[in-house]
Amino acid sequence: MQKMVIEGGYPLSGNISVSGAKNSVVALIPAALLANGVSVIENVPDIRDVYVMKDIAEELGAVVDYKKNENMLIINAAPARKTKVSEEKAGRARASYYFLGALLGRFGKATVPMPGGCNFGGRPIDLHIKGFETLGATVTEDEDVVVATTKDTLFGQEIYLDFPSVGATINIMLAACRAEGRTFIRNAACEPHIVDVANFLNAMGARITGAATGTIRIDGVDEMHGAVHSVIPDQIEAGTYMIAAAAVGKDVTVCNVIPRHMEFLTDKLIQMGVKVEEGGDSIRVSACENPKAINFTTTPYPGFPTDLQPQMVTFLTVAKGESKVREGVWNNRFQYVDELKLLGADIFAEGQNATVHGVPFLTGAQVRATDLRAGAAMIIAGLMAKGKTVITELEHIDRGYEGIEEKLRAIGAHIQRIEE
Ligand code: EPZ
């Protein structure tokens, strides 16, 4: 078993670079299967979820070459013929559900077992299914396996999402690219990776407009071809390093970011008293003496993202005063709070609300990475805490952060991975 060991209290300084966005690339790989040709995806992070999605694409018959030293994926989707994802593979990543939209679009049928991934309470895909059905597909769910088929073709329609779901927006967009006629997705998600996926699809021959607004218009096309695309920087990885720098940074520059994608966080950190300066494609962050408590609610983009909630709560554990946090996206995303309490944090969490009372300092302890972003939060906690913190269940962290220990070590963190 691997463990991460962190000696806390060492200030961070220097440049730290952000990799390509996980939540974009896990959609770009299935998107590549819409083409009858070769796509090249650049700036692909070396993380476990990429390998899972690559394995599924290969299971479906695509030929995939991951040149990890160049962070490049070459996907030849021409030989792909199969339309069924195995249960074992689908269970390894939440994003396996994107093969539903991609296979339905290209072949008119898809069989995908209900996906795995982090557990924040119920993670239904009813909005995805409603979207496929509105486009004319027949969708059945039998023993947790979703089968979507269309007799002839999909037909463009108006689809309203009850919630701006990231997954449903992308999945419907994938299927609608090949539908006959025009589709509108209303109340669509606006996250930066929605735009990234739309840009890739357009480069492949799709006709999508309005990504990043609440209404996405897709004019169906008969054929799609391979394309070359570079993945946008990972907004959540960038935010994780900004929060680490705010907590223990002397002077850290987070490089390869799109500052506009980080405004929700920049604003909150400045409110807390942290010094934040935006550059062209970088953000410089320096910790302050006595960070102030703040309140925040997670909401879909451009609001404060749920995927940075655990990291921000971790920083708030030492902010002076009382902070109130509301989780507005998932109904069970405070599981990690018990781990922070082991380090001496004073947090009361119930349902979708948490109240944090700042304490003077955290003290190292053994904690678990209960999910991907909770794992990132434990790393920040370990950097902040006095003494030694040991983190277990690292497989969650490895799903989504490329070389996180190496990157943090290079700016002064005392962090290592040990095998036991
Ligand atoms: C994506 O999950 C991300 N995952 C999540 O990041 C992220 O937390 C989430 O978006 C919100 O930003 C990937 O991109 C692979 P949603 P997704 O559909 O698409 C409800 C991480 O740490 N809902 O936007 O599954 C749902 O229950 C991961 O990187 C329905 O009710 O999230 C939730 O309350 C964790 N029915 C809300 O919408 C549906 O059919 C948002 O879900 C779909 C969603």
Side-chain angles (χ1 to χ4, degrees), residues 22-24 26 49 94-95 97-98 118 120 122-129 163-168 170 189 191 193 236 300 305-307 328-331 333 371-373 399:
K22 168 185 94 81
N23 286 345
S24 188
V26 296
D49 273 10
R94 179 83 194 152
Y97 56 38
Y98 288 135
C118 296
F120 315 126
R123 292 189 72 172
I125 60 163
D126 56 307
L127 298 175
H128 307 226
I129 291 173
F163 186 90
S165 152
V166 170
I170 293 179
E191 272 70 5
H193 41 289
I236 305 301
T306 172
D307 291 348
V329 177
W330 298 108
N331 57 19
R333 206 172 188 174
D371 62 63
L372 169 61
R373 307 303 172 186
R399 281 190 37 224

Coordinates of all heavy atoms in Angstrom, one line a residue, residues 22-24 26 49 94-95 97-98 118 120 122-129 163-168 170 189 191 193 236 300 305-307 328-331 333 371-373 399, ligand 1:
K22 N -8.5 17.4 -16.5 CA -9.1 16.1 -16.4 C -10.5 16.0 -16.9 O -10.8 15.1 -17.8 CB -9.0 15.6 -14.9 CG -9.8 14.3 -14.7 CD -9.9 13.9 -13.3 CE -11.2 14.4 -12.6 NZ -12.4 13.6 -12.7
N23 N -11.4 16.9 -16.4 CA -12.8 16.7 -16.8 C -13.1 17.1 -18.2 O -14.1 16.8 -18.7 CB -13.6 17.5 -15.8 CG -13.7 16.8 -14.5 OD1 -13.3 15.6 -14.4 ND2 -14.1 17.5 -13.4
S24 N -12.1 17.7 -18.9 CA -12.2 17.9 -20.3 C -11.7 16.6 -21.1 O -12.5 16.1 -21.9 CB -11.4 19.1 -20.8 OG -11.6 19.4 -22.1
V26 N -11.5 13.6 -20.3 CA -12.3 12.4 -20.2 C -13.5 12.4 -21.1 O -14.2 11.4 -21.3 CB -12.7 12.1 -18.7 CG1 -11.5 11.8 -17.8 CG2 -13.6 13.2 -18.1
D49 N -7.5 8.4 -14.7 CA -8.7 8.4 -15.5 C -8.5 8.4 -17.0 O -9.3 7.9 -17.8 CB -9.6 9.7 -15.1 CG -10.4 9.4 -13.9 OD1 -10.3 8.3 -13.2 OD2 -11.3 10.2 -13.6
R94 N -16.2 7.6 -13.6 CA -17.5 8.1 -13.8 C -17.8 8.5 -15.3 O -18.9 8.3 -15.8 CB -17.6 9.4 -12.9 CG -18.8 10.2 -13.0 CD -19.8 9.6 -12.0 NE -21.1 10.1 -12.3 CZ -22.2 9.4 -12.0 NH1 -22.2 8.2 -11.5 NH2 -23.4 10.0 -12.2
A95 N -16.7 9.1 -15.9 CA -16.9 9.6 -17.2 C -17.2 8.6 -18.3 O -17.4 8.9 -19.5 CB -15.7 10.4 -17.6
Y97 N -19.7 7.3 -18.8 CA -21.0 7.5 -19.4 C -21.0 8.3 -20.7 O -21.9 8.4 -21.5 CB -22.0 8.2 -18.4 CG -21.6 9.5 -17.7 CD1 -20.9 10.5 -18.3 CD2 -22.0 9.7 -16.4 CE1 -20.5 11.6 -17.7 CE2 -21.6 10.8 -15.7 CZ -20.9 11.8 -16.4 OH -20.6 13.0 -15.7
Y98 N -19.8 9.0 -21.0 CA -19.8 9.8 -22.2 C -19.7 8.9 -23.4 O -20.0 9.3 -24.6 CB -18.5 10.7 -22.2 CG -18.6 11.9 -21.3 CD1 -17.6 12.2 -20.5 CD2 -19.8 12.6 -21.2 CE1 -17.6 13.3 -19.6 CE2 -19.9 13.7 -20.4 CZ -18.8 14.1 -19.6 OH -18.9 15.1 -18.7
C118 N -16.2 9.0 -7.9 CA -16.4 9.4 -6.5 C -17.8 9.3 -6.1 O -18.7 9.6 -6.9 CB -15.9 10.9 -6.4 SG -14.1 11.1 -6.7
F120 N -20.7 10.9 -4.0 CA -21.2 12.0 -3.2 C -22.7 11.8 -2.9 O -23.4 12.7 -3.1 CB -21.0 13.3 -3.9 CG -19.6 13.5 -4.5 CD1 -19.5 13.8 -5.8 CD2 -18.5 13.3 -3.7 CE1 -18.2 13.9 -6.4 CE2 -17.2 13.5 -4.3 CZ -17.1 13.8 -5.6
G122 N -26.3 10.1 -4.2 CA -26.8 9.7 -5.5 C -26.1 10.4 -6.6 O -25.9 11.6 -6.5
R123 N -25.8 9.7 -7.7 CA -25.3 10.4 -8.9 C -26.1 9.9 -10.1 O -25.6 9.1 -10.9 CB -23.8 10.1 -9.1 CG -22.9 10.8 -8.0 CD -21.5 10.7 -8.3 NE -21.0 11.6 -9.4 CZ -19.8 11.8 -9.7 NH1 -18.8 11.2 -9.0 NH2 -19.5 12.6 -10.7
P124 N -27.4 10.4 -10.2 CA -28.2 9.9 -11.2 C -27.8 10.4 -12.6 O -27.1 11.3 -12.7 CB -29.6 10.5 -10.9 CG -29.3 11.7 -10.1 CD -28.0 11.4 -9.4
I125 N -28.3 9.7 -13.7 CA -28.0 10.2 -15.0 C -29.3 10.3 -15.8 O -29.4 10.2 -17.0 CB -27.0 9.3 -15.8 CG1 -27.5 7.9 -16.0 CG2 -25.6 9.3 -15.2 CD1 -26.7 7.2 -17.1
D126 N -30.4 10.6 -15.0 CA -31.7 10.8 -15.6 C -31.7 11.9 -16.7 O -32.5 11.8 -17.7 CB -32.8 11.0 -14.5 CG -32.4 12.2 -13.7 OD1 -31.3 12.3 -13.1 OD2 -33.3 13.1 -13.5
L127 N -31.0 13.0 -16.4 CA -31.0 14.1 -17.4 C -30.3 13.7 -18.7 O -30.8 14.1 -19.8 CB -30.3 15.3 -16.8 CG -31.0 15.9 -15.5 CD1 -30.1 17.0 -15.0 CD2 -32.4 16.4 -15.8
H128 N -29.3 12.9 -18.6 CA -28.7 12.4 -19.9 C -29.7 11.5 -20.7 O -29.9 11.7 -21.9 CB -27.5 11.4 -19.6 CG -26.4 12.0 -18.6 ND1 -25.1 11.8 -18.9 CD2 -26.5 12.6 -17.4 CE1 -24.4 12.4 -17.9 NE2 -25.2 12.8 -17.0
I129 N -30.4 10.6 -19.9 CA -31.3 9.7 -20.5 C -32.5 10.5 -21.2 O -32.9 10.2 -22.3 CB -31.8 8.6 -19.5 CG1 -30.6 7.7 -19.2 CG2 -32.9 7.8 -20.0 CD1 -30.8 6.7 -18.1
F163 N -31.4 20.9 -14.3 CA -30.2 21.4 -13.6 C -29.1 21.5 -14.7 O -29.0 20.6 -15.5 CB -29.8 20.4 -12.5 CG -28.7 20.9 -11.6 CD1 -28.9 21.7 -10.5 CD2 -27.3 20.7 -11.9 CE1 -27.9 22.2 -9.7 CE2 -26.3 21.1 -11.1 CZ -26.6 21.9 -10.0
P164 N -28.2 22.6 -14.6 CA -27.2 22.6 -15.6 C -26.1 21.6 -15.4 O -25.0 21.9 -15.0 CB -26.6 24.1 -15.5 CG -27.0 24.5 -14.1 CD -28.2 23.7 -13.7
S165 N -26.4 20.3 -15.7 CA -25.5 19.2 -15.4 C -24.4 19.2 -16.5 O -24.6 19.3 -17.7 CB -26.3 17.9 -15.5 OG -25.5 16.8 -15.9
V166 N -23.1 19.1 -16.0 CA -22.0 19.1 -16.9 C -22.1 17.8 -17.8 O -22.0 17.9 -19.0 CB -20.7 19.0 -16.0 CG1 -19.5 18.7 -16.9 CG2 -20.5 20.3 -15.3
G167 N -22.3 16.7 -17.1 CA -22.3 15.4 -17.8 C -23.4 15.3 -18.8 O -23.2 14.9 -20.0
A168 N -24.6 15.8 -18.5 CA -25.7 15.7 -19.4 C -25.5 16.6 -20.6 O -25.8 16.3 -21.7 CB -27.0 16.0 -18.7
I170 N -22.7 17.6 -21.9 CA -21.7 17.1 -22.9 C -22.2 15.8 -23.6 O -22.1 15.7 -24.8 CB -20.4 16.7 -22.1 CG1 -19.7 18.0 -21.6 CG2 -19.4 15.9 -23.0 CD1 -18.4 17.9 -20.9
A189 N -24.9 23.5 -19.0 CA -23.8 23.9 -18.1 C -22.8 24.8 -18.9 O -22.8 24.7 -20.1 CB -23.1 22.6 -17.6
E191 N -19.4 25.3 -17.8 CA -18.0 25.1 -17.3 C -17.0 25.3 -18.5 O -17.4 24.9 -19.7 CB -17.9 23.7 -16.7 CG -18.2 23.7 -15.2 CD -19.6 23.8 -14.9 OE1 -20.5 23.9 -15.8 OE2 -20.0 23.9 -13.7
H193 N -14.7 23.4 -19.5 CA -14.5 22.2 -20.3 C -15.7 21.9 -21.3 O -15.5 21.2 -22.2 CB -14.1 21.0 -19.4 CG -14.9 20.8 -18.2 ND1 -14.7 21.6 -17.1 CD2 -15.8 19.9 -17.8 CE1 -15.5 21.2 -16.1 NE2 -16.2 20.2 -16.5
I236 N -9.4 23.1 -11.8 CA -9.5 22.7 -10.5 C -8.1 22.4 -9.9 O -7.8 22.7 -8.7 CB -10.4 21.4 -10.4 CG1 -11.8 21.7 -11.0 CG2 -10.5 20.9 -8.9 CD1 -12.5 22.8 -10.3
P300 N -22.9 25.8 -10.0 CA -22.3 25.6 -11.4 C -21.6 26.9 -11.8 O -21.8 28.0 -11.3 CB -23.5 25.4 -12.3 CG -24.6 24.8 -11.3 CD -24.4 25.6 -10.0
P305 N -16.8 26.4 -7.7 CA -17.0 25.0 -8.0 C -17.0 24.1 -6.8 O -16.2 24.2 -5.9 CB -15.8 24.7 -9.0 CG -14.8 25.8 -8.7 CD -15.5 27.0 -8.1
T306 N -17.9 23.1 -6.9 CA -17.9 22.1 -5.9 C -16.6 21.4 -5.8 O -16.2 20.9 -4.7 CB -19.0 21.1 -6.2 OG1 -18.9 20.0 -5.3 CG2 -19.0 20.6 -7.6
D307 N -15.8 21.2 -6.9 CA -14.6 20.5 -6.9 C -13.5 21.2 -6.2 O -12.4 20.7 -6.0 CB -14.2 20.1 -8.3 CG -15.1 19.1 -9.0 OD1 -15.9 18.5 -8.2 OD2 -15.0 18.9 -10.2
G328 N -23.8 23.4 -2.9 CA -25.1 23.5 -3.7 C -25.2 22.6 -4.9 O -26.1 22.7 -5.7
V329 N -24.2 21.7 -5.1 CA -24.2 20.8 -6.2 C -24.5 19.3 -5.8 O -25.4 18.7 -6.3 CB -22.9 20.9 -7.0 CG1 -22.9 19.9 -8.2 CG2 -22.7 22.3 -7.6
W330 N -23.7 18.8 -4.9 CA -23.9 17.4 -4.5 C -24.5 17.4 -3.1 O -24.3 18.3 -2.3 CB -22.5 16.7 -4.4 CG -21.8 16.7 -5.7 CD1 -20.7 17.4 -6.1 CD2 -22.2 15.9 -6.9 NE1 -20.4 17.1 -7.4 CE2 -21.3 16.1 -7.9 CE3 -23.2 14.9 -7.1 CZ2 -21.4 15.5 -9.2 CZ3 -23.3 14.3 -8.4 CH2 -22.4 14.6 -9.4
N331 N -25.3 16.3 -2.8 CA -25.9 16.2 -1.5 C -25.1 15.6 -0.4 O -25.5 15.5 0.7 CB -27.3 15.6 -1.6 CG -27.3 14.2 -2.2 OD1 -26.3 13.6 -2.2 ND2 -28.4 13.8 -2.7
R333 N -21.2 15.9 0.2 CA -19.8 16.1 -0.2 C -19.0 16.7 1.0 O -18.0 17.4 0.8 CB -19.7 17.0 -1.4 CG -18.3 16.8 -2.1 CD -18.1 17.5 -3.4 NE -16.9 17.0 -4.0 CZ -16.5 17.2 -5.2 NH1 -17.2 18.0 -6.0 NH2 -15.4 16.7 -5.7
D371 N -12.0 10.8 -1.4 CA -12.3 10.9 -2.8 C -11.2 11.8 -3.4 O -10.3 12.3 -2.7 CB -13.7 11.4 -3.1 CG -14.0 12.8 -2.6 OD1 -13.3 13.7 -3.1 OD2 -14.9 13.0 -1.7
L372 N -11.3 12.1 -4.7 CA -10.3 12.8 -5.4 C -10.0 14.2 -4.8 O -8.8 14.5 -4.4 CB -10.7 12.9 -6.9 CG -9.9 13.9 -7.8 CD1 -8.4 13.5 -7.8 CD2 -10.5 13.9 -9.2
R373 N -11.0 15.0 -4.7 CA -10.7 16.4 -4.2 C -10.5 16.4 -2.7 O -9.8 17.3 -2.2 CB -11.9 17.3 -4.6 CG -12.2 17.3 -6.1 CD -11.1 17.6 -7.0 NE -11.4 17.4 -8.4 CZ -10.5 17.5 -9.4 NH1 -9.3 17.8 -9.2 NH2 -10.9 17.3 -10.7
R399 N -6.2 9.6 -9.6 CA -7.2 9.7 -10.7 C -7.1 11.0 -11.4 O -7.5 11.1 -12.6 CB -8.6 9.5 -10.2 CG -9.0 8.1 -9.9 CD -10.5 8.0 -9.6 NE -11.2 8.9 -10.4 CZ -12.2 9.7 -10.0 NH1 -12.6 9.7 -8.7 NH2 -12.8 10.5 -10.8
Ligands
EPZ1 C1 -18.9 16.6 -13.3 O1 -19.7 15.5 -12.8 C2 -17.5 16.4 -12.8 N1 -17.0 15.1 -13.3 C3 -17.4 16.4 -11.3 O2 -16.0 16.4 -10.9 C4 -18.0 17.7 -10.8 O3 -18.1 17.7 -9.4 C5 -19.4 17.9 -11.4 O4 -19.4 17.8 -12.8 C6 -20.0 19.3 -11.0 O5 -19.2 20.3 -11.5 C7 -16.6 14.9 -14.5 O6 -16.6 15.9 -15.3 C8 -16.1 13.6 -15.0 P1 -23.3 17.0 -12.9 P2 -21.1 15.2 -13.4 O7 -24.0 16.2 -13.9 O8 -21.1 15.6 -14.8 C9 -27.4 16.2 -10.5 C10 -14.1 15.7 -9.9 O9 -13.8 15.7 -8.7 N2 -27.8 15.4 -11.7 O10 -23.0 18.4 -13.3 O11 -21.5 13.8 -13.0 C11 -26.3 15.5 -9.7 O12 -26.8 14.6 -8.9 C12 -15.5 15.3 -10.2 O13 -13.4 16.0 -10.8 C13 -29.0 14.8 -11.8 O14 -29.8 15.0 -10.9 O15 -21.9 16.3 -12.5 C14 -25.6 16.7 -9.0 O16 -26.4 17.0 -7.9 C15 -16.3 14.8 -9.1 N3 -29.3 14.1 -12.9 C16 -25.8 17.8 -10.1 O17 -26.8 17.4 -11.0 C17 -28.4 13.9 -13.9 O18 -28.8 13.2 -14.9 C18 -24.5 18.1 -10.9 O19 -24.1 16.9 -11.6 C19 -27.1 14.5 -13.8 C20 -26.8 15.2 -12.7

